[in-house]
Structures are given as C-alpha cells and as structure tokens.
Amino acid sequence: MFRVEYSRLRFLVVDDNTYMRRILKTLLHGFGAREVFEAEDGASALDAFASHYPDIVFTDWEMPLINGIDMTKLMRCSDNSVNPFVPIIMVSVHSERHRVIEARDAGVTEFLVKPLSATALHQRILGVVAHPRPFIKTASYFGPDRRRTKAAEYTGPERRKGEEESQIIPAKPVLVSYSNG
C-alpha cells in the first residue's frame, strides 16, 4: 500500500480566489504538508514555479493575466521550464466534458471539480504520486499520456496511432513510501 509522504513534498497552489487558496493550503497542511506556496495568477505562479521547484501544482482555470490552461502549457513546453514533468492538477468549477478535454490536451495531469472534498483531493494526489503516467512528446503535444487504459489487444479501425516522431518518456516518480497499514 502506498502512503504519500506529504511532509517531503512541495506544493504550489494557484488561484485568484484567496479563500480557495486558503482551503487547499489548510487541507494540505492537514495531510502533513509543510511547504505550500501560493500564487494568485498564472504569471506569479510561473515565478513561484521557477523559484520553489514544487513537486505538485494545483491551478484554477479562470485567472487574470495568464489562465490555468496557458500556465500549464508554459510549464510543460517553455524552454526554461524547471520541471516540465511536474504533476499539474486543475481545480475548477468548469466540469463540462469539453473543458476537461481541453485541460487534458494542454497537459493537465488530473482534474478536480470544485467544491472539493479532502477525500477527492487526497485521491488525486495519490494518483499522481503512486501511479505516474508516462509522458508523450509529439510535434503538437507534450504532457502525460492522455490514455487512461492500455488496450493492446484492440486492433480495430479506431485504434490510435502515434506520430512518427513521437516519444514516450517514462514518468519520474514523486516521493512515496510503502506501508503495511
């Protein structure tokens, strides 16, 4: 069984709503996190990302200056990104299917709908820590593998094929420990 070592992880919480940042920060501290950094928009988040090297980033979608989607793309694809492989969890009230797909296609690792619960938050963190997905690099995309399941036996006409120049990059694990309890 996996146990997340929250005290060994650095988190970045990005949201223009002070109360939402406080809720996330309080929950993370309750889980045992010690280092939780905050930013109120995508632009200040990029600065915090470069200076604090977070292990996991939480971001809202709608923010001034740079929104969560554009911030994710910059964290993933910018030449000076300190960690393009960082797990990014989108926390948003926008739960429509097209929005979730847009976030996934921008490189978001997980999606969490507001209002959130402590259980849902812990499950998303556990998912990115215990089961990191490999990253895919193509001419038009860089981010976690968008496929949730591997159906190697499927050979039908709808089978997705990678681009010739595409690369699969194994995921770098986030800090975990094993527990008997």
Side-chain angles (χ1 to χ4, degrees):
M1 172 201 259
F2 283 105
R3 192 181 65 151
V4 178
E5 294 284 344
Y6 283 95
S7 63
R8 296 177 58 196
L9 296 173
R10 288 181 307 275
F11 297 92
L12 175 59
V13 176
V14 187
D15 199 308
D16 58 331
N17 185 307
T18 305
Y19 299 108
M20 193 66 223
R21 288 196 315 268
R22 187 178 306 153
I23 289 168
L24 274 167
K25 190 172 184 176
T26 300
L27 287 170
L28 291 168
H29 283 303
F31 293 154
R34 294 181 186 155
E35 295 183 79
V36 181
F37 305 99
E38 297 180 47
E40 62 186 19
D41 58 58
S44 59
L46 292 171
D47 291 337
F49 181 65
S51 61
H52 297 299
Y53 302 98
D55 297 299
I56 298 175
V57 174
F58 295 95
T59 185
D60 186 23
W61 186 301
E62 296 287 338
M63 296 180 294
L65 302 179
I66 298 175
N67 67 29
I69 294 295
D70 292 336
M71 183 200 75
T72 297
K73 291 176 182 177
L74 289 167
M75 286 180 176
R76 293 278 184 243
C77 299
S78 174
D79 290 337
N80 58 354
S81 178
V82 295
N83 181 7
F85 299 96
V86 68
I88 300 173
I89 300 174
M90 177 72 68
V91 184
S92 178
V93 296
H94 300 293
S95 61
E96 301 89 355
R97 180 176 169 79
H98 75 276
R99 295 270 195 155
V100 175
I101 290 170
E102 183 179 350
R104 178 202 67 187
D105 290 347
V108 166
T109 312
E110 288 289 341
F111 202 96
L112 186 57
V113 178
K114 295 176 186 175
L116 57 92
S117 69
T119 301
L121 179 64
H122 175 71
Q123 288 173 340
R124 294 309 184 289
I125 295 169
L126 184 61
V128 300
V129 170
H131 306 289
R133 290 182 293 181
F135 272 62
I136 304 298
K137 182 177 176 90
T138 69
S140 60
Y141 175 76
F142 177 74
D145 190 346
R146 295 176 279 196
R147 300 174 193 181
R148 292 289 185 162
T149 60
K150 303 285 187 236
E153 68 279 352
Y154 180 75
T155 58
E158 298 292 318
R159 178 160 173 78
R160 295 173 281 183
K161 296 177 175 70
E163 298 172 18
E164 285 186 26
E165 312 88 36
S166 66
Q167 298 175 328
I168 298 175
I169 304 163
K172 183 176 151 184
V174 182
L175 303 168
V176 296
S177 67
Y178 293 94
S179 172
N180 292 332

